[in-house]
Amino acid sequence: MSKYVLAALFSVLAFATIGPFVRLLAEDYPLPWITFARAFFGFLFVLVIVSRFDKNWFRVSGGEWKEYALVGLSLASTMTFYNYAISLAPLADVVLLNYVHVLIAPLLAYFVLHETMEKKSWAFLATGLFGVVLISPFSGLNALGTMSALAAGITYAVMTVYMRRADKQHGIGDVVWFLGFASLFLLPPALVTPITWTWHGFAYLALAGIV
């Protein structure tokens, strides 16, 4: 099995564990700290990995900071909405609605990146949006949670498109800057939220960032 297949499998496994892991942590720790920990410890983890493969990751021109900051803000928003949704709504609904980014990202790419779309792609998008309507994210007891999941999908789509635009000129080193800016945006809400620190709690939050 190639290293690329292993990396893909690890990514799928890590993504699949985010929801249950965050829900378990939310029982004992404030969401702002969970969200910040995911970004900050993820930043540290990726920094170590990227430093071995991309020796020029820190070389950034002045005009690129705006795109890095925008991606970081979109990432911070996505993580905030997603974690909040997980704490309020059924995990299955959250995951399904979060995948609305698959529908929105092509539309954004069409207008922002000027990518072409075939007629059948427009039909698939219309069908997918109809499916979102069937889930009824704006009604029911978990409306706030499902709306947050939908918001996470929208901000994720924005992040994906602008991340692609930034990555056209760079490589894996961009991820360090994305997570770094996300950590900066998520730090203020965490600092104003009380938390009782323990060693095992610190370890769980650090693990949330690595996963």
Side-chain angles (χ1 to χ4, degrees), residues 127-171:
T127 303
L129 291 174
F130 179 71
V132 172
V133 173
L134 290 179
I135 298 177
S136 302
F138 306 110
S139 61
L141 297 176
N142 303 305
L144 190 57
T146 52
M147 288 173 62
S148 296
L150 189 60
I154 295 172
T155 54
Y156 188 86
V158 173
M159 180 192 72
T160 301
V161 170
Y162 280 94
M163 185 183 294
R164 175 173 171 79
R165 189 165 77 170
D167 281 343
K168 282 186 174 182
Q169 288 77 36
H170 299 284

Side-chain angles (χ1 to χ4, degrees), residues 19 24 51-52 56 106 109 111 127 138 149 151 170 187:
L24 288 174
S51 298
R52 297 191 59 184
N56 298 314
F111 292 104
T127 303
F138 306 110
H170 299 284
L187 179 59

Side-chain angles (χ1 to χ4, degrees), residues 3-4 45 53 65 68 72 80 90 100 111 120 129 139 141 143 145 151 169 172 178 193 209:
K3 61 181 180 180
Y4 302 107
F45 179 73
F53 297 99
W65 292 110
Y68 287 149
T80 300
V100 75
F111 292 104
K120 62 180 181 180
L129 291 174
S139 61
L141 297 176
Q169 288 77 36
I172 191 174
F178 299 156
T193 304

Side-chain angles (χ1 to χ4, degrees), residues 105-117 161 164-165 168:
L107 291 175
L108 292 176
Y110 178 81
F111 292 104
V112 177
L113 302 179
H114 307 292
E115 295 186 354
T116 58
M117 288 181 59
V161 170
R164 175 173 171 79
R165 189 165 77 170
K168 282 186 174 182

Side-chain angles (χ1 to χ4, degrees), residues 18-194:
I18 290 175
F21 199 47
V22 169
R23 175 159 288 182
L24 288 174
L25 287 175
E27 296 178 359
D28 299 308
Y29 306 102
L31 282 176
W33 278 105
I34 296 174
T35 310
F36 169 73
R38 285 185 58 200
F40 180 68
F41 289 108
F43 162 75
L44 295 179
F45 179 73
V46 172
L47 177 61
V48 173
I49 301 299
V50 168
S51 298
R52 297 191 59 184
F53 297 99
D54 187 355
K55 303 299 182 182
N56 298 314
W57 66 268
F58 56 87
R59 298 184 185 277
V60 181
S61 63
E64 295 169 336
W65 292 110
K66 182 178 179 181
E67 285 192 352
Y68 287 149
L70 179 58
V71 173
L73 178 61
S74 301
L75 177 57
S77 301
T78 299
M79 296 172 71
T80 300
F81 284 128
Y82 189 74
N83 287 353
Y84 188 60
I86 288 175
S87 68
L88 295 176
L91 188 57
D93 290 350
V94 173
V95 172
L96 287 174
L97 286 171
N98 184 60
Y99 273 99
V100 75
H101 72 266
V102 176
L103 307 175
I104 298 175
L107 291 175
L108 292 176
Y110 178 81
F111 292 104
V112 177
L113 302 179
H114 307 292
E115 295 186 354
T116 58
M117 288 181 59
E118 299 179 2
K119 291 183 178 180
K120 62 180 181 180
S121 298
W122 290 103
F124 290 151
L125 287 177
T127 303
L129 291 174
F130 179 71
V132 172
V133 173
L134 290 179
I135 298 177
S136 302
F138 306 110
S139 61
L141 297 176
N142 303 305
L144 190 57
T146 52
M147 288 173 62
S148 296
L150 189 60
I154 295 172
T155 54
Y156 188 86
V158 173
M159 180 192 72
T160 301
V161 170
Y162 280 94
M163 185 183 294
R164 175 173 171 79
R165 189 165 77 170
D167 281 343
K168 282 186 174 182
Q169 288 77 36
H170 299 284
I172 191 174
D174 291 345
V175 181
V176 176
W177 295 109
F178 299 156
L179 286 169
F181 273 108
S183 299
L184 289 176
F185 288 121
L186 292 169
L187 179 59
L191 290 178
V192 298
T193 304

